[in-house]
Amino acid sequence: MCTPTYMQIEEVINEIQKHYVEVNIDIDRSVSQFNTVVEFLTQRGIRVELIPEDPLLPEQVFTRDIGVVIDNQLVRAALRCSIRQTEEQVFQDWLHRNRIQSVRTLNFFEGGDIVIDRNTIWVGVGNRTSLEVVEEFRKLFPHREVIALPFQEIYLHLDCVFNLLSPDEALIFKDAFDAESLRLLEKRYRLIEVPEEEQFTLATNVLSVGAGHVISLPHNRVTNQAMRQAGLIVHEIDLSEIIKSGGSFRCITLPLQRQDQN
């Protein structure tokens, strides 16, 4: 994770930022909300590592995008937006200091477009991740099923419109997908639909922390109630300042080690 000490909307790079660019980010409030999430994770026994903040990197809080860990292999992202590309070097320097080996893809991808479900790797193909990277993941992980999941490019990342809650259940904003993709997902999961107004407040971008526990924004009442009715334990934490820049709980966390690979 990375504290949003220098978080600002300096260059609009997604649809949500367009809405908030004039009011921009209250940094003190965003840091306070971020610290609440860190405290919650720590209390649940999750060790949180913080990478150093850089004053020239206003999007650095969204660490999910800079890589993904699969089968103890860390794959560094190739970030498409120029305003974010220096984040790659900061992350690589941190990995080097901590003696963590990694590889980098040749083609563009961001971690928010990668969703892992047991033996399956879903690769969201949209504005930030190229179709060509799908083949790279197939070569890196030949024993896994790697499936391209295209979605409308107006939405930032796959995890803003599709996200796993358990091996059997997932959140989805159906309008982002074509009929073929929807049929594929409906065969595999019980889909909980996110309404359009809550997609804008990133109801899909929850963070599952194991044993049926999920962190979600309190504003997303319809989605939170649907998750509770499905038997999940929903922990509501305010992240409303940080989501002004286009990311929520999943976006601000990059799992380095996990047991269930979800």
Side-chain angles (χ1 to χ4, degrees):
M1 300 180 74
C2 184
T3 307
T5 308
Y6 303 106
M7 185 180 183
Q8 285 289 290
I9 303 174
E10 293 185 0
E11 177 184 324
V12 173
I13 58 175
N14 62 62
E15 292 298 314
I16 294 176
Q17 287 184 353
K18 287 181 183 179
H19 186 79
Y20 291 109
V21 65
E22 295 300 325
V23 295
N24 223 294
I25 307 296
D26 182 324
I27 291 180
D28 289 340
R29 189 163 182 248
S30 67
V31 170
S32 176
Q33 292 177 353
F34 176 87
N35 288 338
T36 299
V37 177
V38 172
E39 182 180 2
F40 174 85
L41 294 174
T42 302
Q43 288 175 349
R44 288 196 61 80
I46 297 170
R47 189 175 83 248
V48 175
E49 298 281 353
L50 297 175
I51 62 175
E53 314 99 297
D54 189 312
L56 300 179
L57 299 175
E59 305 285 331
Q60 203 178 7
V61 66
F62 300 125
T63 53
R64 175 73 65 157
D65 297 329
I66 57 179
V68 63
V69 175
I70 303 172
D71 297 339
N72 296 318
Q73 172 67 70
L74 195 154
V75 184
R76 301 195 321 277
L79 300 174
R80 173 161 273 166
C81 290
S82 58
I83 195 173
R84 298 201 62 184
Q85 288 172 353
T86 306
E87 293 178 42
E88 295 182 38
Q89 187 61 53
V90 174
F91 185 43
Q92 187 173 0
D93 292 344
W94 183 87
L95 292 172
H96 179 72
R97 289 196 301 273
N98 287 273
R99 299 180 180 179
I100 299 173
Q101 299 296 316
S102 65
V103 296
R104 182 182 184 273
T105 61
L106 297 175
N107 295 286
F108 289 119
F109 97 89
E110 297 188 3
D113 284 325
I114 309 298
V115 175
I116 307 164
D117 177 15
R118 293 161 294 184
N119 193 52
T120 299
I121 303 171
W122 299 100
V123 180
V125 178
N127 189 42
R128 302 294 185 87
T129 294
S130 64
L131 180 60
E132 291 78 10
V133 85
V134 174
E135 190 58 36
E136 289 195 69
F137 272 84
R138 286 174 179 155
K139 291 178 180 178
L140 283 169
F141 307 103
H143 61 292
R144 284 183 175 260
E145 180 184 33
V146 181
I147 302 177
L149 195 61
F151 62 96
Q152 292 186 32
E153 291 189 358
I154 191 173
Y155 304 106
L156 180 58
H157 288 124
L158 180 61
D159 63 11
C160 294
V161 289
F162 169 72
N163 195 3
L164 293 181
L165 298 170
S166 74
D168 303 310
E169 294 160 318
L171 292 174
I172 192 166
F173 179 62
K174 287 190 172 183
D175 289 354
F177 299 95
D178 60 25
E180 182 180 351
S181 295
L182 283 176
R183 282 194 296 269
L184 179 60
L185 294 172
E186 286 169 348
K187 287 180 181 178
R188 297 204 178 204
Y189 308 106
R190 293 193 296 272
L191 297 176
I192 297 174
E193 293 189 46
V194 171
E196 184 174 2
E197 62 273 16
E198 292 191 359
Q199 191 284 323
F200 183 77
T201 48
L202 298 173
T204 315
N205 199 259
V206 299
L207 180 66
S208 298
V209 291
H213 290 258
V214 178
I215 311 175
S216 182
L217 198 72
H219 306 68
N220 296 322
R221 297 174 183 174
V222 173
T223 305
N224 291 348
Q225 180 61 20
M227 288 191 291
R228 290 185 173 113
Q229 289 176 344
L232 294 158
I233 301 167
V234 180
H235 303 270
E236 295 184 349
I237 299 178
D238 186 9
L239 206 70
S240 55
E241 200 64 30
I242 288 175
I243 71 166
K244 289 179 180 179
S245 199
S248 193
F249 297 101
R250 192 176 192 269
C251 291
I252 67 171
T253 53
L254 170 57
L256 294 175
Q257 186 177 39
R258 50 193 167 186
Q259 294 179 338
D260 60 4
Q261 286 292 295
N262 287 328

